[in-house]
Each structure stands twice: as structure tokens, then as C-alpha cells.
Amino acid sequence: MPDRTTPSRRSVLAATAAGAAVAALASSPAHASPADRGATSAGLKRLISRMSLEEKVGQLFVMRVYGHSATAPDQADIDANLREIGVRTAAELIERYHVGGIIYFVWAHNTRDPHQIAELSNGIQRAGLAQPTPVPLLISTDQEHGIVARVGRPATLMPGAMALGAGGSRSDARKAARIAGTELAAMGIRQNYAPVADVNVNPANPVIGVRSFGSDPQAVAGLVASQVRGYQGAGIAATSKHFPGHGDTVSDSHHSLPTIHHSREEWEELDAPPFRAAIAAGIRSIMTAHIVVPALDPSGDPATLSRPILTGMLREELGYDGVVVTDALDMAGVRQKYGDDRVPVLALKAGCDQLLNPPNLGVAWNAVLQAVRSGELTEQRIEESILRILLLKYELGLFRNPFVTPGGVDRTVGKPSHLAAADRIAAETTTLLADPAGLLPLSLRGHRDVLVVGADPASPSGTTGPPTGTLAKAFTEAGFTATALSTGITPTAARIEEAVAAAAGKDVVVVGTYNVSSTSPQRTLVSRLVATGVPVVTVAIRNPYDVAQLTGAGVAASLATYSWTDVELRAAVRVMTGGADPRGRLPVPVQRADDPARVLYPVGHGLSYRGTRR
């Protein structure tokens, strides 16, 4: 039986002259000769010429929308849409503003399960093709894996960037992206805001951290290029971010406007290599950063609004002519200097193509419309961006068939070979940082009774964890007797006493730590547990820097997993129980807590049960 979306698509495309132009594009091959590509560009320009100004402006925006369905979301999501956007549904959003893209979020209830996601995607595409100028939409999300994942189980969740950096395998990085991209495409998501190309050279970075592959620019560049090839080989657009580089900041651009103090020479050495590598690998979209880099633009404007950075450097110097997408325009970093009506106009003037998630779409959309009507922005300028966006949609095959099928979801998403690959790749990433007494691997004979305590941060995708439970379950499946006790990121004195009491009679205590600082009560928890005399193993479930705050506390062994999703925690238990040899190496240095100028563990540090450092 043919997919039920097909008759709707054909009837819509036959309805207008613009639809006929889309139909002609749908019949042409995506991979064609230069002459054919020229003809495609000409056809897209004809399509653009048939658009109203309102439709042209709409193509520039990528917007959030609440709900699991394009036409029949839950009432709470209807209310949220009315409150924030002035429409009830995704279909109404597309009808009113003609947006070129939609971004999916967990909190917007877009990603309940793979079949629901696929049907939401199809409903969005039906709405796009029902417009006066029928154009498919580009559906996107942030599926970095690790600590940022919008689509959860039963989809395959891969190790995150720093974990892959610890594994050090470009082949594994490419394989992870290929699997992830294939599953996203099966659900109708064709633009992924990954991989992160920022080089995390600042341990205090609050927003990048383990989202980066590491601190070595060349190593990061190689892994970025591998993931670009993996994602795009799966038929989706990868997006390297955040240009010109967000790796050396002590503030979060979601909440403030960070300043990067790198000189132009330092930028060339530290920040540029991953973006150059992404461009050489054929990256289809690059995301901007809401950061100020005085050496690159002394105006004080964030890079998202900087013509010297986006046009002068990215396009003219680096030679990039793909799609440039802003980081989210509802972030404080881009809203501090200019009002919400000026930001989208200035972003387009700087060289951006896609305007992502403005706080008030009506204000932003009307501001761009008025800027064109007043002559501040020429229609030719926005048509340049629209052509890039439509070329990307064309290259992804969206003009030929924007729809996905339930069968495609069943054949692709979370299939056993993908899940097995995720476990295999994760097994290469766990890093054994310290084991002074040779406690690990744990034996069933001597360490059968395990207490797992520690932090239980919320699941990035809403479908995994909690970490203490996941660790305890993995120990149990390995034949151990394990008990989980969540003590939290800031354990109270009462909870610490409860953990100390629970440790009595145990053979070993495993503590999941999360961003331990010098004043964190997690340090008290660990020291009190060590004082019981029961061997304590710490597992840094986010930043590997935790170990510096716990050195000297008498901890028996310390590991790093770089994330708290199930695939990485299961791998850590396999390492702790001898089911796998620790193979991960630090992709960032860990400085001493008492003297940050000195390195405690250098890049490349990692212990093996074979008695050698890798």
C-alpha cells in the first residue's frame, strides 16, 4: 500500500505554478553534473521568484513549536503555543509565518518516541507543501549525544564528544555519527546541530566542557571531520558549532555574553583547525557563537552579529559558502546589546542564513520584513540566503520526498546492530585515571556486595538513568549484589550520614561524582565514605576534572565516563568488573586543584589492567 502522504503531496504540487516548479525539482537527481547543478540552482531561483516577500522572510526562520503532533497537540501544548507564538499548532505556525524549518526539543514534547517523531515530521511536511508556494521544511535538533540528546531510547544513544575524544578513534567517531544520522533521517530530522567543533582549553568552561572532543586542536579537527562525513553520509546535514570557537570561556552564552581573549594568532592555532577541517570535509551548515572576540572584531558585537567574523573570515577567508545558522536567538548572549527586533536583521547583515528560535517570532519576522521594505536589507540579500537554504533542502532529497515511513523507523531506529555498536564504541572510552592499590578490576570473590551512591542528574533525553540505578543494575547483571542510593549533586548532611550507614558491611562503594568543586559537599561525602574503611571508587560522570578535587582523599580508584547516559555507565561497570580493559585516554589535561598551573594528569593519560599507560 502506498504511503498515505503521497496523494496529498501530489495533489498539492499540482495545484499551483510554484508547485509545478517544485515537482520539476523533485524529478531531478540530487547528485548531478555541474551543468545539472546549475540547472537546479536556476530552478530554485525561479521558485524563489514566485514567493511573496512574506514567504521569503519565513524561509529564513527555524522555530520551536510545542506538541507531539503537527495538527492535534495536547491542550497544554496548544496553550503554550498561543502564549509564545500566537498559533495553536505547528501547522498554523507554518501557515502564518511560512517558516523554513522547525527545531525539536524534549521540553517542547516533540520527541516522545520514534514513531511519534516520524508522524510529527510528516505532518510538518504536509503543512509545508500545503502553502501557496509549497516548500518542504528542514527539521533539526541538537543530537550531540552524551550530555545533549533530544531523542532518547529506543533510539540508539552514542557516547558524547569527549568520550569519543578519549577513545581517540576517528573510525568510531564516523561510525557513531553514521548510525545516529541514519536514525535521525528515518524520523524525518535532516539537520543535526552537531558535531561541536569547539576546542575546550578551559576546564572552567560551563557550557562546552565534555561537549567538546578535547583540548588538542588537531585531534578535535580529525574527529570533527570524521563525524561530518558520518552524519552527511547518512543523508543529513551536519552542523559544526560554535564559530569562531566557544572553547575558552568562563561564562555561558545562554545567560551572558562571554568574551574570548585569544589573539588572531591564537585563534588560528587553537580555534580554527576544527572549522577548517569541517569545511574541507564538506560541512553543509555551520552555527555561530554568541561570543565577543575583540581580536577578530573590536566592535563588541557578538560573532553572530559580526560581519567581519561571518562574512570576512568564515566566508571570504575560509571559503565557506554553505548555510550559516545562528545559535538560538533567545539566548542572553545575543540579546544584551540589541533588542529582539534588531538581532535578526543584524544577523542577516553579518552573513547568517538561518535565524534559529527567536524569543518572539512575530517581532523577529516583522522586523526582517520591515528591514527589506525600508531598504535596510535588500531583497537580493535575503534571496542569497534562501537559495542556500533551498539548495540544502534539495541536496538532502527533500524536494523529491520529504516524508518518512513507519517501516523505515522499524528497520532503522534502535536496531540491535546499532545498539551493539554503541556498546562497543563506549567500551573504548572509559578512562581509568587512578588505581594506586590495584583494586580494579573488582572480583566476585572479594567485592560482591556493592553500594552505589552519588549524583543523579536528569537524563539529557528524558529516557535514561538515573545514574546510580543504571550503575547498580549493570553490577547486578554482572553477578554482583548492588544497592543504589541517590545522594544528589549537593548531598545534605543527613543524606551523607545515610550513605555512611549504608556502607557498613559492603565490600566496595562506588560514588558517581558530578562537577565537584572545592566547596562541593560531594567532597565531604567521599571523605566520610573513605573513613569507613570500605574501598571507595569514584566515577566522574561528567567532567573528568573531578579527580583533582578528590586526590589525597584516600580514594581507591577513579574513573571518568564523560557523561551519565546508560551506554557510558554500562561501559564503566564492564571496566570496573573486568569485562573490558580500560582503553580511554584523557583528551584534556587535568590540573592540580591546589596549583592549577601544574598538571595532575596530562592529555593521553589512562591506565590499563595490563600495567601500562596508554
Side-chain angles (χ1 to χ4, degrees):
M1 180 180 292
D3 189 279
R4 69 184 181 88
T5 59
T6 304
S8 171
R9 175 176 180 267
R10 288 176 176 168
S11 63
V12 168
L13 292 180
T16 65
V22 176
L25 288 166
S27 65
S28 58
H31 303 287
S33 66
D36 288 333
R37 285 195 293 271
T40 298
S41 182
L44 290 171
K45 288 178 181 178
R46 288 193 295 273
L47 179 62
I48 294 169
S49 72
R50 295 187 177 102
M51 293 180 180
S52 67
L53 180 57
E54 290 80 3
E55 288 174 311
K56 291 177 183 178
V57 169
Q59 280 296 308
L60 304 170
F61 284 94
V62 180
M63 189 60 184
R64 69 189 180 278
V65 65
Y66 290 86
H68 70 286
S69 165
T71 55
D74 295 339
Q75 186 61 49
D77 292 324
I78 291 174
D79 294 342
N81 286 328
L82 287 169
R83 183 171 60 251
E84 295 186 16
I85 315 172
V87 299
R88 293 167 51 85
T89 66
E92 289 183 13
L93 167 67
I94 295 162
E95 181 181 11
R96 178 176 298 184
Y97 290 105
H98 318 291
V99 294
I102 297 287
I103 179 173
Y104 287 169
F105 290 105
V106 176
W107 51 261
H109 310 137
N110 304 139
T111 56
R112 290 181 177 176
D113 65 75
H115 280 286
Q116 167 269 317
I117 296 170
E119 182 50 37
L120 173 60
S121 299
N122 283 345
I124 286 169
Q125 298 296 3
R126 285 192 289 270
L129 295 179
Q131 295 303 295
T133 305
V135 178
L137 279 83
L138 187 55
I139 298 170
S140 60
T141 198
D142 293 281
Q143 189 76 352
E144 297 173 16
H145 293 269
I147 72 167
V148 177
R150 312 303 191 201
V151 180
R153 293 184 307 189
T156 304
L157 291 170
M158 287 288 174
M162 194 170 283
L164 292 173
S169 169
R170 295 182 182 183
S171 175
D172 281 351
R174 183 170 182 168
K175 177 75 170 179
R178 183 68 178 251
I179 289 172
T182 300
E183 296 196 4
L184 290 174
M187 293 178 277
I189 300 170
R190 303 301 295 277
Q191 184 180 27
N192 189 21
Y193 298 136
V196 170
D198 303 315
V199 181
N200 200 75
V201 295
N202 190 334
N205 193 323
V207 64
I208 304 301
V210 294
R211 297 168 63 194
S212 163
F213 290 105
S215 63
D216 181 275
Q218 297 305 320
V220 172
L223 293 167
V224 165
S226 296
Q227 289 231 298
V228 168
R229 295 186 180 101
Y231 281 122
Q232 296 189 169
I236 70 170
T239 308
S240 292
K241 60 187 185 184
H242 308 78
F243 190 84
H246 207 319
D248 190 6
T249 174
V250 294
S251 56
D252 183 344
S253 53
H254 291 84
H255 309 298
S256 62
L257 177 56
T259 297
I260 304 290
H261 296 287
H262 291 178
S263 67
R264 174 60 192 250
E265 292 73 22
E266 287 172 325
W267 178 82
E268 289 283 1
E269 179 183 353
L270 295 174
D271 301 294
F275 291 102
R276 292 186 186 276
I279 292 168
I283 188 74
R284 283 175 164 157
S285 56
I286 290 178
M287 181 178 284
T288 67
H290 303 328
I291 57 172
V292 171
V293 190
L296 306 183
D297 180 356
S299 70
D301 286 345
T304 299
L305 310 182
S306 169
R307 186 170 179 82
I309 291 176
L310 298 186
T311 297
M313 294 176 62
L314 180 57
R315 292 213 186 276
E316 295 174 359
E317 292 184 30
L318 273 61
Y320 177 68
D321 194 37
V323 170
V324 174
V325 55
T326 70
D327 205 346
L329 297 182
D330 62 347
M331 294 166 60
V334 79
R335 301 176 70 190
Q336 289 193 350
K337 189 173 180 181
Y338 302 99
D340 292 337
D341 59 334
R342 295 299 300 154
V343 166
V345 175
L346 294 174
L348 291 168
K349 293 175 76 171
C352 294
D353 301 306
Q354 289 184 305
L355 304 170
L356 177 62
N357 202 32
N360 187 313
L361 179 59
V363 168
W365 187 85
N366 280 298
V368 174
L369 194 66
Q370 181 56 36
V372 177
R373 287 174 172 162
S374 71
E376 182 181 6
L377 283 170
T378 67
E379 205 157 345
Q380 179 184 3
R381 166 64 193 92
I382 68 168
E383 287 177 358
E384 291 172 3
S385 287
I386 297 165
L387 181 59
R388 289 192 188 99
I389 294 165
L390 295 187
L391 277 169
L392 178 55
K393 293 180 181 182
Y394 171 79
E395 290 166 354
L396 294 173
L398 289 170
F399 281 100
R400 293 189 306 283
N401 184 12
F403 299 107
V404 292
T405 65
V409 172
D410 291 335
R411 289 189 299 271
T412 306
V413 179
K415 70 179 185 179
S417 63
H418 288 181
L419 298 173
D423 279 330
R424 180 193 64 74
I425 293 169
E428 304 293 316
T429 68
T430 304
T431 306
L432 177 58
L433 299 172
D435 186 18
L439 175 71
L440 300 182
L442 302 173
S443 69
L444 284 170
R445 179 181 301 176
H447 309 102
R448 180 180 295 272
D449 203 351
V450 181
L451 173 66
V452 179
V453 304
D456 275 334
S459 165
S461 65
T463 62
T464 63
T468 55
T470 299
L471 289 166
K473 180 181 178 183
F475 273 112
T476 300
E477 290 173 348
F480 292 74
T481 301
T483 304
L485 173 63
S486 178
T487 49
I489 295 172
T490 54
T492 63
R495 184 64 81 175
I496 290 172
E497 293 303 322
E498 186 178 355
V500 168
K506 302 297 182 183
D507 297 317
V508 65
V509 179
V510 174
V511 184
T513 66
Y514 183 96
N515 293 5
V516 180
S517 68
S518 60
T519 59
S520 172
Q522 292 179 71
R523 296 182 72 196
T524 305
L525 171 68
V526 170
S527 64
R528 290 292 310 281
L529 289 168
V530 168
T532 67
V534 179
V536 173
V537 178
T538 62
V539 181
I541 63 173
R542 182 167 177 165
N543 291 330
Y545 313 114
D546 286 3
V547 67
Q549 297 291 344
L550 302 172
T551 296
V555 171
S558 295
L559 302 94
T561 65
Y562 310 97
S563 180
W564 61 95
T565 49
D566 291 6
V567 67
E568 286 156 304
L569 298 179
R570 288 196 304 267
V573 171
R574 290 199 301 277
V575 166
M576 285 187 278
T577 58
D581 189 61
R583 297 180 180 274
R585 296 183 295 172
L586 276 175
V588 293
V590 175
Q591 279 85 13
R592 291 177 54 133
D594 60 348
D595 185 2
R598 298 174 61 189
V599 172
L600 177 64
Y601 296 122
V603 170
H605 172 81
L607 303 180
S608 165
Y609 293 150
R610 296 183 178 89
T612 59
R613 292 189 178 187
R614 288 177 50 81

PDB file of all heavy atoms in Angstrom, residues 139-145 180-181 184 189-195 231 236-241 285:
ATOM      1  N   ILE A 139      13.875  20.022   9.149  1.00  0.00           N
ATOM      2  CA  ILE A 139      13.638  19.743  10.568  1.00  0.00           C
ATOM      3  C   ILE A 139      14.978  19.434  11.227  1.00  0.00           C
ATOM      4  O   ILE A 139      15.756  18.631  10.722  1.00  0.00           O
ATOM      5  CB  ILE A 139      12.653  18.580  10.732  1.00  0.00           C
ATOM      6  CG1 ILE A 139      11.296  18.964  10.116  1.00  0.00           C
ATOM      7  CG2 ILE A 139      12.493  18.208  12.202  1.00  0.00           C
ATOM      8  CD1 ILE A 139      10.321  17.815  10.009  1.00  0.00           C
ATOM      9  N   SER A 140      15.216  20.084  12.363  1.00  0.00           N
ATOM     10  CA  SER A 140      16.527  19.994  13.002  1.00  0.00           C
ATOM     11  C   SER A 140      16.386  19.673  14.480  1.00  0.00           C
ATOM     12  O   SER A 140      15.296  19.751  15.061  1.00  0.00           O
ATOM     13  CB  SER A 140      17.275  21.318  12.837  1.00  0.00           C
ATOM     14  OG  SER A 140      16.544  22.381  13.440  1.00  0.00           O
ATOM     15  N   THR A 141      17.518  19.322  15.085  1.00  0.00           N
ATOM     16  CA  THR A 141      17.577  19.143  16.535  1.00  0.00           C
ATOM     17  C   THR A 141      19.032  19.161  16.972  1.00  0.00           C
ATOM     18  O   THR A 141      19.946  19.151  16.143  1.00  0.00           O
ATOM     19  CB  THR A 141      16.886  17.839  16.970  1.00  0.00           C
ATOM     20  OG1 THR A 141      16.589  17.901  18.367  1.00  0.00           O
ATOM     21  CG2 THR A 141      17.748  16.615  16.682  1.00  0.00           C
ATOM     22  N   ASP A 142      19.244  19.188  18.293  1.00  0.00           N
ATOM     23  CA  ASP A 142      20.575  19.084  18.886  1.00  0.00           C
ATOM     24  C   ASP A 142      20.760  17.657  19.395  1.00  0.00           C
ATOM     25  O   ASP A 142      20.441  17.352  20.541  1.00  0.00           O
ATOM     26  CB  ASP A 142      20.726  20.044  20.075  1.00  0.00           C
ATOM     27  CG  ASP A 142      20.709  21.505  19.668  1.00  0.00           C
ATOM     28  OD1 ASP A 142      21.734  21.997  19.202  1.00  0.00           O
ATOM     29  OD2 ASP A 142      19.656  22.143  19.832  1.00  0.00           O
ATOM     30  N   GLN A 143      21.261  16.792  18.564  1.00  0.00           N
ATOM     31  CA  GLN A 143      21.516  15.404  18.971  1.00  0.00           C
ATOM     32  C   GLN A 143      23.028  15.185  18.961  1.00  0.00           C
ATOM     33  O   GLN A 143      23.576  14.483  18.129  1.00  0.00           O
ATOM     34  CB  GLN A 143      20.794  14.420  18.033  1.00  0.00           C
ATOM     35  CG  GLN A 143      20.816  12.970  18.496  1.00  0.00           C
ATOM     36  CD  GLN A 143      19.836  12.678  19.628  1.00  0.00           C
ATOM     37  OE1 GLN A 143      19.228  13.589  20.192  1.00  0.00           O
ATOM     38  NE2 GLN A 143      19.671  11.416  19.971  1.00  0.00           N
ATOM     39  N   GLU A 144      23.684  15.854  19.930  1.00  0.00           N
ATOM     40  CA  GLU A 144      25.132  15.723  20.029  1.00  0.00           C
ATOM     41  C   GLU A 144      25.532  14.369  20.596  1.00  0.00           C
ATOM     42  O   GLU A 144      26.644  13.903  20.384  1.00  0.00           O
ATOM     43  CB  GLU A 144      25.689  16.824  20.940  1.00  0.00           C
ATOM     44  CG  GLU A 144      25.460  18.236  20.434  1.00  0.00           C
ATOM     45  CD  GLU A 144      25.879  19.279  21.465  1.00  0.00           C
ATOM     46  OE1 GLU A 144      26.611  18.923  22.428  1.00  0.00           O
ATOM     47  OE2 GLU A 144      25.489  20.455  21.315  1.00  0.00           O
ATOM     48  N   HIS A 145      24.626  13.755  21.371  1.00  0.00           N
ATOM     49  CA  HIS A 145      24.872  12.571  22.188  1.00  0.00           C
ATOM     50  C   HIS A 145      25.675  12.973  23.421  1.00  0.00           C
ATOM     51  O   HIS A 145      26.086  14.117  23.567  1.00  0.00           O
ATOM     52  CB  HIS A 145      25.518  11.454  21.377  1.00  0.00           C
ATOM     53  CG  HIS A 145      24.584  10.920  20.329  1.00  0.00           C
ATOM     54  ND1 HIS A 145      23.732   9.870  20.548  1.00  0.00           N
ATOM     55  CD2 HIS A 145      24.325  11.328  19.064  1.00  0.00           C
ATOM     56  CE1 HIS A 145      23.010   9.643  19.469  1.00  0.00           C
ATOM     57  NE2 HIS A 145      23.347  10.528  18.555  1.00  0.00           N
ATOM     58  N   ALA A 180      23.869   7.414  14.094  1.00  0.00           N
ATOM     59  CA  ALA A 180      22.969   8.447  14.628  1.00  0.00           C
ATOM     60  C   ALA A 180      22.250   9.174  13.505  1.00  0.00           C
ATOM     61  O   ALA A 180      21.043   9.437  13.584  1.00  0.00           O
ATOM     62  CB  ALA A 180      23.764   9.429  15.481  1.00  0.00           C
ATOM     63  N   GLY A 181      22.972   9.510  12.453  1.00  0.00           N
ATOM     64  CA  GLY A 181      22.366  10.216  11.336  1.00  0.00           C
ATOM     65  C   GLY A 181      21.322   9.386  10.614  1.00  0.00           C
ATOM     66  O   GLY A 181      20.272   9.890  10.206  1.00  0.00           O
ATOM     67  N   LEU A 184      18.197   9.471  12.763  1.00  0.00           N
ATOM     68  CA  LEU A 184      17.526  10.768  12.681  1.00  0.00           C
ATOM     69  C   LEU A 184      16.782  10.907  11.358  1.00  0.00           C
ATOM     70  O   LEU A 184      15.630  11.361  11.323  1.00  0.00           O
ATOM     71  CB  LEU A 184      18.537  11.897  12.834  1.00  0.00           C
ATOM     72  CG  LEU A 184      19.157  12.089  14.220  1.00  0.00           C
ATOM     73  CD1 LEU A 184      20.243  13.162  14.174  1.00  0.00           C
ATOM     74  CD2 LEU A 184      18.101  12.462  15.260  1.00  0.00           C
ATOM     75  N   ILE A 189      14.246  13.930  10.706  1.00  0.00           N
ATOM     76  CA  ILE A 189      15.133  15.000  11.163  1.00  0.00           C
ATOM     77  C   ILE A 189      16.340  15.010  10.240  1.00  0.00           C
ATOM     78  O   ILE A 189      17.118  14.070  10.206  1.00  0.00           O
ATOM     79  CB  ILE A 189      15.568  14.775  12.624  1.00  0.00           C
ATOM     80  CG1 ILE A 189      14.337  14.737  13.535  1.00  0.00           C
ATOM     81  CG2 ILE A 189      16.543  15.861  13.062  1.00  0.00           C
ATOM     82  CD1 ILE A 189      14.636  14.284  14.953  1.00  0.00           C
ATOM     83  N   ARG A 190      16.520  16.110   9.486  1.00  0.00           N
ATOM     84  CA  ARG A 190      17.522  16.095   8.428  1.00  0.00           C
ATOM     85  C   ARG A 190      18.656  17.107   8.632  1.00  0.00           C
ATOM     86  O   ARG A 190      19.535  17.224   7.782  1.00  0.00           O
ATOM     87  CB  ARG A 190      16.835  16.342   7.072  1.00  0.00           C
ATOM     88  CG  ARG A 190      15.740  15.332   6.749  1.00  0.00           C
ATOM     89  CD  ARG A 190      16.247  13.902   6.713  1.00  0.00           C
ATOM     90  NE  ARG A 190      17.189  13.699   5.637  1.00  0.00           N
ATOM     91  CZ  ARG A 190      16.865  13.446   4.366  1.00  0.00           C
ATOM     92  NH1 ARG A 190      15.582  13.373   4.023  1.00  0.00           N
ATOM     93  NH2 ARG A 190      17.781  13.266   3.456  1.00  0.00           N
ATOM     94  N   GLN A 191      18.623  17.834   9.736  1.00  0.00           N
ATOM     95  CA  GLN A 191      19.723  18.735  10.081  1.00  0.00           C
ATOM     96  C   GLN A 191      20.023  18.546  11.559  1.00  0.00           C
ATOM     97  O   GLN A 191      19.166  18.741  12.408  1.00  0.00           O
ATOM     98  CB  GLN A 191      19.360  20.202   9.802  1.00  0.00           C
ATOM     99  CG  GLN A 191      20.506  21.183  10.060  1.00  0.00           C
ATOM    100  CD  GLN A 191      20.112  22.627   9.764  1.00  0.00           C
ATOM    101  OE1 GLN A 191      18.933  22.987   9.846  1.00  0.00           O
ATOM    102  NE2 GLN A 191      21.069  23.463   9.412  1.00  0.00           N
ATOM    103  N   ASN A 192      21.255  18.122  11.855  1.00  0.00           N
ATOM    104  CA  ASN A 192      21.649  17.912  13.241  1.00  0.00           C
ATOM    105  C   ASN A 192      22.679  18.955  13.629  1.00  0.00           C
ATOM    106  O   ASN A 192      23.665  19.161  12.919  1.00  0.00           O
ATOM    107  CB  ASN A 192      22.245  16.511  13.422  1.00  0.00           C
ATOM    108  CG  ASN A 192      22.461  16.173  14.894  1.00  0.00           C
ATOM    109  OD1 ASN A 192      21.855  16.768  15.774  1.00  0.00           O
ATOM    110  ND2 ASN A 192      23.316  15.202  15.153  1.00  0.00           N
ATOM    111  N   TYR A 193      22.443  19.611  14.756  1.00  0.00           N
ATOM    112  CA  TYR A 193      23.380  20.625  15.228  1.00  0.00           C
ATOM    113  C   TYR A 193      24.534  19.953  15.975  1.00  0.00           C
ATOM    114  O   TYR A 193      24.702  20.075  17.188  1.00  0.00           O
ATOM    115  CB  TYR A 193      22.654  21.647  16.098  1.00  0.00           C
ATOM    116  CG  TYR A 193      21.569  22.400  15.362  1.00  0.00           C
ATOM    117  CD1 TYR A 193      20.325  22.629  15.935  1.00  0.00           C
ATOM    118  CD2 TYR A 193      21.783  22.874  14.066  1.00  0.00           C
ATOM    119  CE1 TYR A 193      19.326  23.319  15.255  1.00  0.00           C
ATOM    120  CE2 TYR A 193      20.787  23.562  13.382  1.00  0.00           C
ATOM    121  CZ  TYR A 193      19.564  23.775  13.978  1.00  0.00           C
ATOM    122  OH  TYR A 193      18.581  24.455  13.301  1.00  0.00           O
ATOM    123  N   ALA A 194      25.320  19.225  15.228  1.00  0.00           N
ATOM    124  CA  ALA A 194      26.498  18.506  15.699  1.00  0.00           C
ATOM    125  C   ALA A 194      27.365  18.230  14.471  1.00  0.00           C
ATOM    126  O   ALA A 194      26.849  18.204  13.349  1.00  0.00           O
ATOM    127  CB  ALA A 194      26.089  17.191  16.378  1.00  0.00           C
ATOM    128  N   PRO A 195      28.663  18.059  14.647  1.00  0.00           N
ATOM    129  CA  PRO A 195      29.421  17.939  15.888  1.00  0.00           C
ATOM    130  C   PRO A 195      29.915  19.287  16.404  1.00  0.00           C
ATOM    131  O   PRO A 195      30.083  20.238  15.645  1.00  0.00           O
ATOM    132  CB  PRO A 195      30.613  17.083  15.474  1.00  0.00           C
ATOM    133  CG  PRO A 195      30.859  17.501  14.041  1.00  0.00           C
ATOM    134  CD  PRO A 195      29.485  17.737  13.455  1.00  0.00           C
ATOM    135  N   TYR A 231      27.735  11.770   9.559  1.00  0.00           N
ATOM    136  CA  TYR A 231      26.375  12.308   9.512  1.00  0.00           C
ATOM    137  C   TYR A 231      25.913  12.520   8.079  1.00  0.00           C
ATOM    138  O   TYR A 231      24.804  12.124   7.694  1.00  0.00           O
ATOM    139  CB  TYR A 231      26.295  13.636  10.274  1.00  0.00           C
ATOM    140  CG  TYR A 231      26.217  13.504  11.771  1.00  0.00           C
ATOM    141  CD1 TYR A 231      27.167  14.097  12.601  1.00  0.00           C
ATOM    142  CD2 TYR A 231      25.175  12.795  12.373  1.00  0.00           C
ATOM    143  CE1 TYR A 231      27.089  13.981  13.985  1.00  0.00           C
ATOM    144  CE2 TYR A 231      25.097  12.675  13.750  1.00  0.00           C
ATOM    145  CZ  TYR A 231      26.050  13.267  14.557  1.00  0.00           C
ATOM    146  OH  TYR A 231      25.971  13.152  15.920  1.00  0.00           O
ATOM    147  N   ILE A 236      21.964  13.375   6.229  1.00  0.00           N
ATOM    148  CA  ILE A 236      21.515  14.564   6.949  1.00  0.00           C
ATOM    149  C   ILE A 236      22.613  15.618   6.902  1.00  0.00           C
ATOM    150  O   ILE A 236      23.768  15.316   6.623  1.00  0.00           O
ATOM    151  CB  ILE A 236      21.119  14.252   8.403  1.00  0.00           C
ATOM    152  CG1 ILE A 236      22.357  13.909   9.248  1.00  0.00           C
ATOM    153  CG2 ILE A 236      20.102  13.130   8.468  1.00  0.00           C
ATOM    154  CD1 ILE A 236      22.052  13.842  10.726  1.00  0.00           C
ATOM    155  N   ALA A 237      22.247  16.846   7.192  1.00  0.00           N
ATOM    156  CA  ALA A 237      23.208  17.940   7.235  1.00  0.00           C
ATOM    157  C   ALA A 237      23.815  18.009   8.624  1.00  0.00           C
ATOM    158  O   ALA A 237      23.106  18.158   9.615  1.00  0.00           O
ATOM    159  CB  ALA A 237      22.526  19.266   6.895  1.00  0.00           C
ATOM    160  N   ALA A 238      25.138  17.886   8.700  1.00  0.00           N
ATOM    161  CA  ALA A 238      25.838  18.126   9.955  1.00  0.00           C
ATOM    162  C   ALA A 238      26.004  19.634  10.145  1.00  0.00           C
ATOM    163  O   ALA A 238      25.944  20.403   9.181  1.00  0.00           O
ATOM    164  CB  ALA A 238      27.190  17.432   9.952  1.00  0.00           C
ATOM    165  N   THR A 239      26.230  20.043  11.382  1.00  0.00           N
ATOM    166  CA  THR A 239      26.393  21.463  11.694  1.00  0.00           C
ATOM    167  C   THR A 239      27.532  21.609  12.690  1.00  0.00           C
ATOM    168  O   THR A 239      27.391  21.247  13.863  1.00  0.00           O
ATOM    169  CB  THR A 239      25.116  22.056  12.314  1.00  0.00           C
ATOM    170  OG1 THR A 239      23.993  21.750  11.467  1.00  0.00           O
ATOM    171  CG2 THR A 239      25.232  23.563  12.492  1.00  0.00           C
ATOM    172  N   SER A 240      28.662  22.125  12.247  1.00  0.00           N
ATOM    173  CA  SER A 240      29.757  22.376  13.173  1.00  0.00           C
ATOM    174  C   SER A 240      29.497  23.677  13.924  1.00  0.00           C
ATOM    175  O   SER A 240      29.055  24.662  13.348  1.00  0.00           O
ATOM    176  CB  SER A 240      31.081  22.458  12.414  1.00  0.00           C
ATOM    177  OG  SER A 240      31.411  21.189  11.880  1.00  0.00           O
ATOM    178  N   LYS A 241      29.803  23.662  15.220  1.00  0.00           N
ATOM    179  CA  LYS A 241      29.490  24.808  16.060  1.00  0.00           C
ATOM    180  C   LYS A 241      30.539  24.914  17.181  1.00  0.00           C
ATOM    181  O   LYS A 241      31.195  23.911  17.488  1.00  0.00           O
ATOM    182  CB  LYS A 241      28.077  24.683  16.648  1.00  0.00           C
ATOM    183  CG  LYS A 241      27.840  23.427  17.524  1.00  0.00           C
ATOM    184  CD  LYS A 241      26.379  23.315  17.906  1.00  0.00           C
ATOM    185  CE  LYS A 241      26.153  22.157  18.855  1.00  0.00           C
ATOM    186  NZ  LYS A 241      24.740  21.946  19.175  1.00  0.00           N
ATOM    187  N   SER A 285      26.378  22.937   7.090  1.00  0.00           N
ATOM    188  CA  SER A 285      25.943  24.096   7.858  1.00  0.00           C
ATOM    189  C   SER A 285      26.884  24.322   9.031  1.00  0.00           C
ATOM    190  O   SER A 285      27.473  23.379   9.564  1.00  0.00           O
ATOM    191  CB  SER A 285      24.485  23.962   8.336  1.00  0.00           C
ATOM    192  OG  SER A 285      24.284  22.787   9.094  1.00  0.00           O
TER     193      SER A 285
END
